[in-house]
Amino acid sequence: LLALALSFIVIVWQGLVENGLTGFQSTMNLWPRNLTDASSWFGVVVFGYGIVPFILNFHESMKTPKHIGLAMKMGLILVFFGYIIISSGVRMLFSPSHSFDGDVLQALPTNSWLALIVRLLMTFVVAMTAPLIVVPCGEMIEGKLGIGVDEVRKRIAVRVLLCMLCMIVSEHAPGFVHVVSFIGCFCASIIGFVLPPLFCIQLRHNTRKDNVTKMDFISCCDVGALAIGIITTILTSTMTFGEMRKSQQQ
């Protein structure tokens, strides 16, 4: 958290040095220009709020696990206001001198020590948060492959290969924002919007075997949520992947 805070402080300082407060006096439109931009925005937002894969890890590490709901609610509220203030503020701050479509690092000069500090801090953040992603993903792969807890060498091999795969994808990807958008639109959207209503439908089907054909209001809501989740996932993933391929060709 300290590294992230320092990164944004440096970015804001660079924007103030270049443009001052003139960007906040402009009347620029921050809404997505088209459906493709809206899909990219959707992917980033879903990725930022994709807490579903980490809930169990957080729950196990808490001193009082029964407060997991309150902790998640407070965290998401803070993230909501933080995203609005930081993203919109930084975008307006750099608006007089930059019109970037990717991450804010594109607005920083390449030969500046401030930009080097930000990149080093971002690298540190990725290195510290990578275990939160690699460990649960590795455990899921190990479970599917039937690798036991005592098979340390095989577990290390799986996690090293997973890290190498991520490194190869990041090397050939056109930009960090495109990768985050696609992961949010496809992976996080499936986990957050498709699987929960699907599991609810299955649970209701298994617990109400006597009147399976009867559809109540909650069942209709589950089916509607599942349909919306599938359509949204397919539409945004297709458009974001197309934009990513277009950027890669350029």
Side-chain angles (χ1 to χ4, degrees), residues 58 107 122 248:
F58 294 156
M122 290 296 182
Q248 189 175 17

Side-chain angles (χ1 to χ4, degrees), residues 35 38-43 46 181-182 184-190 192-194 224-241:
L35 191 57
S39 299
S40 298
W41 170 85
F42 173 81
V46 174
S181 299
F182 181 71
C185 291
F186 185 70
C187 302
S189 184
I190 290 176
F193 300 133
V194 176
L226 177 61
I228 294 174
I230 293 175
I231 294 173
T232 303
T233 300
I234 294 175
L235 179 63
T236 56
S237 299
T238 303
M239 302 197 71
T240 305
F241 184 76

Side-chain angles (χ1 to χ4, degrees), residues 17 82 116 123 190 194:
V17 170
L116 179 61
T123 303
I190 290 176
V194 176

Side-chain angles (χ1 to χ4, degrees), residues 12-167:
V12 171
W13 173 259
Q14 182 66 30
L16 291 173
V17 170
E18 290 186 9
N19 306 312
L21 297 177
T22 57
F24 293 99
Q25 300 173 1
S26 64
T27 58
M28 65 176 301
N29 186 6
L30 296 177
W31 289 97
R33 294 168 297 182
N34 48 46
L35 191 57
T36 301
D37 290 348
S39 299
S40 298
W41 170 85
F42 173 81
V44 173
V45 172
V46 174
F47 181 86
Y49 283 89
I51 62 172
V52 176
F54 309 113
I55 286 181
L56 293 178
N57 291 351
F58 294 156
H59 185 269
E60 293 177 356
S61 62
M62 290 181 66
K63 186 176 181 180
T64 53
K66 64 179 181 180
H67 293 157
I68 182 67
L70 178 62
M72 292 293 105
K73 186 184 298 183
M74 295 176 61
L76 290 177
I77 292 174
L78 292 175
V79 169
F80 174 76
F81 287 105
Y83 272 26
I84 291 177
I85 296 172
I86 294 174
S87 61
S88 301
V90 171
R91 182 67 181 90
M92 289 188 290
L93 188 62
F94 283 95
S95 60
S97 57
H98 297 279
S99 58
F100 48 86
D101 295 327
D103 55 87
V104 72
L105 296 180
Q106 296 177 2
L108 298 178
T110 56
N111 57 351
S112 171
W113 63 272
L114 288 175
L116 179 61
I117 291 177
V118 172
R119 290 180 172 87
L120 290 176
L121 290 173
M122 290 296 182
T123 303
F124 175 77
V125 171
V126 172
M128 292 297 102
T129 56
L132 293 175
I133 301 175
V134 175
V135 172
C137 292
E139 289 177 349
M140 288 189 293
I141 297 174
E142 293 160 10
K144 294 296 182 180
L145 296 178
I147 299 176
V149 180
D150 298 332
E151 300 176 280
V152 180
R153 292 184 178 179
K154 292 183 179 180
R155 296 177 65 190
I156 293 175
V158 168
R159 300 183 186 188
V160 170
L161 291 175
L162 180 61
C163 292
M164 292 180 61
L165 177 62
C166 295
M167 181 182 66

